[in-house]
Amino acid sequence: MKTLKLPIEVQQELKQVSKVAGYLWQREWAERNAGNISMNLTSFFKKEDVQGIGEEVAFDFPKECAGFVIYITGTGCYLRDLVDMLEEVSCILYINEDATAYSIVWGGNRPNFGPTCELISHASIHLFNSIHHPENLAVVHTHPLELICMSHHELFDNEEELNRQIWMMCPEVKVFVPKGIHCTPYALSSTAALAEVTMDAFKTRNVSLWEKHGATATAPDVMKAWDFLDVANKGAKMLMMCWAAGFKPAGLSNEQLTELEQFT
């Protein structure tokens, strides 16, 4: 039986996935089966490496996704299990040349395994990145507590002001999340509509804050995607801590925020 040999570079990326999954669990951002992670691994494999492995499963992908090789977590799987059960709760799949089906070429070693129900969102984001930001190979979706709370606040209806108030909490937020947060309107999970609004978000911002749901970031690797989410959430957390203590934070001035742009 033909099997897939993982290049060293891919093995290293998967180790980072396990590490980031541990961070998400420790932060209480990945309750039960919440969240998912994916990577576009197409550039690491030749077509002959991935063709002819596993059975095809029908799926309606955007036709431009044909030939993609994607690492992705499984439906109903717990991100905390990525720490030490990577091959059981995630997989690498190959999208056929017609973009009408996928086959699992690595992982998925558990009964009734299937890729996350957010597969269409992840595939669509990877397609968007391949055209507009080819350096971005990783997508991380999780449930950062304070950012989700912010999506319930009236500031969510004023994206510019929400970003200004989060950026002003400390210089690092402006420097390390320079494009800021997109207030992505609510859309039902696992739908093409959610994929569309998320792709719109990444045209201008580093983080897509899904209204009343969670947040998603894309970056060259999973650790950098984690950093966007971690730093953005820190800004939101500090802002809420000030509110909870009963005062309005002084914050960095607009002039100080502009001065920081030289470091972004």
Side-chain angles (χ1 to χ4, degrees):
M1 181 187 301
K2 185 177 178 181
T3 58
L4 183 66
K5 182 178 181 181
L6 300 185
I8 294 297
E9 299 92 337
V10 172
Q11 295 179 40
Q12 292 171 340
E13 293 296 339
L14 295 185
K15 287 180 181 178
Q16 294 300 304
V17 168
S18 292
K19 187 175 291 187
V20 167
Y23 295 161
L24 298 175
W25 172 247
Q26 290 163 8
R27 287 291 182 86
E28 300 182 352
W29 291 5
E31 73 282 358
R32 200 175 182 274
N33 61 322
N36 31 72
I37 298 172
S38 69
M39 282 200 71
N40 186 347
L41 300 177
T42 310
S43 62
F44 297 100
F45 297 97
K46 299 176 183 177
K47 286 186 179 180
E48 54 265 32
D49 295 332
V50 293
Q51 289 177 329
I53 304 176
E55 296 182 6
E56 286 198 342
V57 178
F59 196 92
D60 187 19
F61 292 99
K63 61 179 177 23
E64 297 87 353
C65 288
F68 277 16
V69 180
I70 295 175
Y71 165 83
I72 197 161
T73 46
T75 186
C77 297
Y78 296 1
L79 287 193
R80 63 178 182 256
D81 288 336
L82 291 171
V83 174
D84 55 8
M85 296 172 57
L86 199 71
E87 291 190 55
E88 286 80 11
V89 298
S90 63
C91 72
I92 296 174
L93 58 83
Y94 165 65
I95 299 174
N96 71 10
E97 297 305 306
D98 298 319
T100 57
Y102 68 83
S103 52
I104 293 175
V105 297
W106 178 91
N109 298 334
R110 62 184 286 178
N112 302 314
F113 176 89
T116 173
C117 64
E118 298 288 2
L119 177 57
I120 187 62
S121 293
H122 284 262
S124 298
I125 294 169
H126 287 304
L127 174 58
F128 170 84
N129 281 340
S130 72
I131 299 168
H132 301 284
H133 300 288
E135 73 280 6
N136 287 344
L137 301 180
V139 176
V140 176
H141 167 61
T142 188
H143 295 175
L145 301 179
E146 286 77 15
L147 281 176
I148 295 173
C149 289
M150 292 299 297
S151 81
H152 289 266
H153 193 274
E154 62 186 14
L155 273 176
F156 190 79
D157 297 324
N158 187 339
E159 186 174 306
E160 292 298 326
E161 183 61 16
L162 178 142
N163 275 292
R164 190 189 71 81
Q165 292 205 32
I166 288 177
W167 276 330
M168 76 180 190
M169 294 310 302
C170 73
E172 285 75 12
V173 182
K174 177 61 176 175
V175 171
F176 296 122
V177 192
K179 294 181 181 179
I181 299 162
H182 184 275
C183 296
T184 307
Y186 184 85
L188 190 64
S189 296
S190 71
T191 62
L194 183 57
E196 287 295 326
V197 292
T198 305
M199 285 187 289
D200 283 342
F202 291 138
K203 291 176 182 177
T204 55
R205 302 294 191 182
N206 301 120
V207 173
S208 171
L209 176 54
W210 291 355
E211 184 179 4
K212 304 178 182 73
H213 181 162
T216 303
T218 184
D221 58 56
V222 290
M223 195 62 71
K224 290 183 175 67
W226 150 260
D227 285 337
F228 280 137
L229 294 163
D230 181 37
V231 177
N233 192 75
K234 181 178 181 180
K237 183 175 183 177
M238 288 190 291
L239 180 59
M240 294 181 67
M241 288 172 68
C242 293
W243 291 345
F247 70 93
K248 180 180 178 181
L252 296 165
S253 68
N254 289 336
E255 291 75 17
Q256 290 168 329
L257 289 173
T258 300
E259 184 182 37
L260 289 168
E261 290 178 2
Q262 63 184 300
F263 301 111
T264 63

